[in-house]
Amino acid sequence: MTLVVGLISGTSVDGIDAALINITGRTEDIQVELLAANTYPYPTDLRSQILAACKGEAISIPQLAALDDAIALCFAQAAQNIQAGHPPAELIGSHGQTVFHRPPVLTSRDVAGNASTTLGYSLQLGRGAVIAQLTNTPTVSNFRAADIAVGGHGAPLVPKVDAYLLSHLHEARCVQNLGGIGNLAYLPPRSHVNWEEKVRGWDTGPANTLLDLAVQHLTDGAQTYDRDGNWAASGTPCHPLVEQWLNQDFFHLPPPKSTGRELFGWEYLQQCLVDARSYQLSASDLLATLTEFTVASIVHSYRTFLPQMPERVFLCGGGSRNLYLKQRLQIHLDIPVLTTDEAGLSADFKEAIAFAILAYWRQQGIPGNLPQVTGAKQAVLLGELV
């Protein structure tokens, strides 16, 4: 039995999700008990600085160092706060805050068809060494670097956790994360021979990022998201626009693949707004269309790249609370669409729980990546332990 804190702030930069969990077992027999969970918003000024960095605005090295320090302090405080009233944690797993993600790029193929690629790069701020010192707790951080060093995307990293917590003996499932960026984990039935090798996963494209940016744009910053999808639900999707946007190259790349705000961010939304002008859409129509775009990109990804359609889908992340998005996904997939809450795992804090488990596996000497998911040459230990 090990008490572990998991920490993450995703691409929506809403704040730090913290989870305190009790772990028993290792992989096949792993069990998780969620003891406490909360989201700790960033101070307004710090969130603005993070979003500016994510947009690619110029930043000096001293400013970057100060931002790294400030994020680490916030993460350490979140780790301490989530333990209040509980025995002290033995380990912290901190994903940190992604401010830049560059997937590997295919440069050439030789006559035998072997690919040559540039290494990817992914930068998460919030130094694990600082968190370890401030909390006096061993801390694992910088999870993506080891996978990237062996040719992987460093993303998504959660499918192995999903496989051991949410797979079913006889049922094929998909776990669809709806953070700023969407990603899936395809979980074959555990009864299949070598079932773990058949787990698949990749980023599907935008989930909340374009919707949140659009709401901020439409309200001059007064609102940051569309609660329950109610605003979008009052509009009508423009299907020709959705079809146009689905021509984006990313959607047609075969997995492994990953993406981020670098592609589906502010500049992408600006182009969407330009494209929408000729259709004279209302604000609600625009949000309905962007929601339909997210749904269509997920459905396209399933139908194009999955080995078979799942028998049910479990949603997690902030977008799992968007009732309109969930309804549209249910209609398009025509299979049960639930949340991971209904499978006994918190939809709001699953990612924080996952990085607690990845930290635990790092401490136990268990590789955390799945090469067939990330494109890495081999399974490796993830994260730096301080």
Side-chain angles (χ1 to χ4, degrees), residues 55-253:
K55 286 171 64 176
E57 292 185 10
I59 183 171
S60 69
I61 295 298
Q63 289 171 328
L64 180 64
L67 184 60
D68 201 3
D69 289 341
I71 292 171
L73 289 172
C74 285
F75 270 73
Q77 189 64 60
Q80 291 170 326
N81 289 346
I82 202 63
Q83 296 178 66
H86 298 275
E90 301 161 59
L91 183 67
I92 294 171
S94 177
H95 171 273
Q97 177 65 64
T98 300
V99 293
F100 179 73
H101 181 75
R102 185 193 72 203
V105 177
L106 176 66
T107 55
S108 64
R109 289 188 183 274
D110 61 22
V111 291
N114 299 311
S116 296
T117 60
T118 60
L119 286 179
Y121 188 90
S122 195
L123 178 61
Q124 285 73 45
L125 298 185
R127 295 183 288 163
V130 172
I131 297 170
Q133 289 300 316
L134 291 175
T135 62
N136 196 31
T137 308
T139 299
V140 182
S141 63
N142 202 20
F143 285 91
R144 303 191 185 276
D147 183 85
I148 289 170
V150 290
H153 283 244
L157 295 183
V158 175
K160 183 170 180 177
V161 176
D162 289 341
Y164 284 100
L165 294 184
L166 293 167
S167 61
H168 188 272
L169 186 61
H170 302 296
E171 181 179 83
R173 295 177 165 183
C174 269
V175 180
Q176 179 69 46
N177 180 46
L178 297 171
I181 297 297
N183 55 68
L184 70 85
Y186 169 77
L187 312 177
R190 281 207 195 198
S191 57
H192 284 190
V193 176
N194 299 325
W195 70 275
E196 186 193 280
E197 296 176 10
K198 298 174 183 176
V199 173
R200 295 291 182 267
W202 58 84
D203 285 355
T204 54
N208 299 325
T209 179
L210 296 179
L211 290 168
D212 292 349
L213 288 171
V215 168
Q216 293 165 43
H217 168 74
L218 293 168
T219 64
D220 292 323
Q223 298 178 43
T224 57
Y225 71 103
D226 180 13
R227 184 181 292 275
D228 297 330
N230 289 334
W231 196 356
S234 68
T236 302
C238 176
H239 294 288
L241 262 183
V242 172
E243 290 302 316
Q244 178 182 336
W245 294 338
L246 280 177
N247 288 325
Q248 160 65 240
D249 289 345
F250 174 80
F251 300 119
H252 303 282
L253 286 174

Side-chain angles (χ1 to χ4, degrees), residues 25-48:
R26 285 169 61 83
T27 51
E28 295 277 359
D29 61 342
I30 195 166
Q31 297 287 325
V32 170
E33 178 188 9
L34 179 62
L35 302 177
N38 202 358
T39 299
Y40 300 98
Y42 284 119
T44 302
D45 288 349
L46 179 56
R47 182 172 190 266
S48 296

